Amino acid sequence: MIQSETRRTPGTPCWVSLMVHGLAATQEFYGALFGWEFRPGPQQLGPYVRALLDGKEIAGIGQLPPDRHLPIAWTTYLATDDADETAETIRHCGGTVGVGPLDAGEAGRLAIASDPAGAVFGIWQAGAHVGTAIAGAPGTPTWNELVTRETASVGKFYQAVFGYDLEGVVSADFDYVTLHLTGRPVASLHGVGHALARDKGAHWMTYFEAADVDEAVLRVADLGGQVLQQPREGASGRVATVADPDGAVFTLVRSSG
């Protein structure tokens, strides 16, 4: 399914990006895993490339300055019509804005923020660049989930900032909330309690569609990545959690239906 190049409803996940120390090696890994090709730019973001599938933009990968020792992680960007106003709302609601808002040339305006539990996410005000241009095909980001300690308070934060409707799973032992906009699910919050890894903390997880999860997991290992959770049947289809050679964690999914 190809999505039209229209503006996304504010709060919709619209882009994912990764900041790494070895840009060339990272391009090699994802190119081999997903068949991505790469195009440089925008220049305002330093050494930065956009990953393409069939000429359509999928994701961004940038190079960290050598002195920046940040965790290497995929960052989910949520759409906004006004990055400055949203950044102000984030601060007002107990979040933190760490970078920006700043212009990425004609592409748009962005900021990097974290929620009250410490999970990092981006906001993107589209200019010429609306966001990920294809949905549903193998190699594309297909879902974004916040893995956090508990969903109640952090759910209120995202609802206050982006106006989501929250739909929880009623279960004593499963803390899971789906975020809805205009009546459709766009992302989820998963409260895992003390199972949350101390070294990683609360974080947004990107799910990438795979034609065959089991085969993709073998390829990840062959390409120098790590398999963190072997393929299993999940609520959304067959899933596996892996990390690239730099340690950026993501989930492979073969969506059911």
Side-chain angles (χ1 to χ4, degrees):
M1 175 181 87
I2 296 188
Q3 264 177 256
S4 60
E5 292 278 327
T6 54
R7 278 189 160 17
R8 311 287 206 267
T9 305
T12 307
C14 60
W15 186 245
V16 292
S17 79
L18 179 62
M19 299 297 286
V20 296
H21 290 295
L23 191 54
T26 300
Q27 287 176 246
E28 205 171 298
F29 173 84
Y30 287 100
L33 181 62
F34 291 135
W36 290 352
E37 294 171 336
F38 299 93
R39 178 190 295 156
Q43 291 171 329
Q44 289 81 357
L45 300 178
Y48 189 88
V49 295
R50 290 190 189 157
L52 310 175
L53 264 183
D54 298 326
K56 302 277 189 184
E57 294 175 345
I58 298 299
I61 303 174
Q63 177 119 6
L64 281 167
D67 56 341
R68 294 294 294 276
H69 297 292
L70 297 171
I72 308 296
W74 280 100
T75 300
T76 298
Y77 282 75
L78 305 173
T80 175
D81 286 340
D82 187 329
D84 296 79
E85 190 181 306
T86 301
E88 201 49 53
T89 307
I90 287 167
R91 290 190 194 100
H92 179 71
C93 293
T96 309
V97 178
V99 176
L102 55 90
D103 284 327
E106 294 175 357
R109 193 161 169 78
L110 68 92
I112 308 289
S114 54
D115 67 26
V120 174
F121 64 97
I123 54 173
W124 179 256
Q125 178 186 332
H129 172 66
V130 175
T132 302
I134 308 176
T140 63
T142 193
W143 191 249
N144 294 270
E145 179 173 282
L146 174 66
V147 182
T148 190
R149 193 173 289 279
E150 53 83 30
T151 64
S153 58
V154 82
K156 287 180 185 142
F157 165 81
Y158 285 100
Q159 186 175 38
V161 176
F162 295 106
Y164 297 117
D165 292 318
L166 308 183
E167 194 174 293
V169 172
V170 182
S171 166
D173 57 354
F174 192 54
D175 182 10
Y176 191 88
V177 173
T178 307
L179 305 178
H180 290 251
L181 286 172
T182 62
R184 83 188 174 89
V186 296
S188 53
L189 313 178
H190 189 185
V192 297
H194 293 297
L196 190 65
R198 275 225 182 92
D199 58 338
K200 196 157 176 49
H203 59 280
W204 278 90
M205 172 76 81
T206 303
Y207 284 64
F208 288 101
E209 189 71 26
D212 183 327
V213 168
D214 297 71
E215 184 196 349
V217 160
L218 294 175
R219 206 173 322 147
V220 165
D222 284 346
L223 293 167
Q226 281 181 292
V227 181
L228 305 177
Q229 287 187 314
Q230 291 290 341
R232 62 203 185 279
E233 293 304 322
S236 53
R238 193 155 179 79
V239 293
T241 307
V242 297
D244 69 18
D246 254 348
V249 177
F250 58 99
T251 296
L252 295 161
V253 59
R254 175 78 171 98
S255 300
S256 50

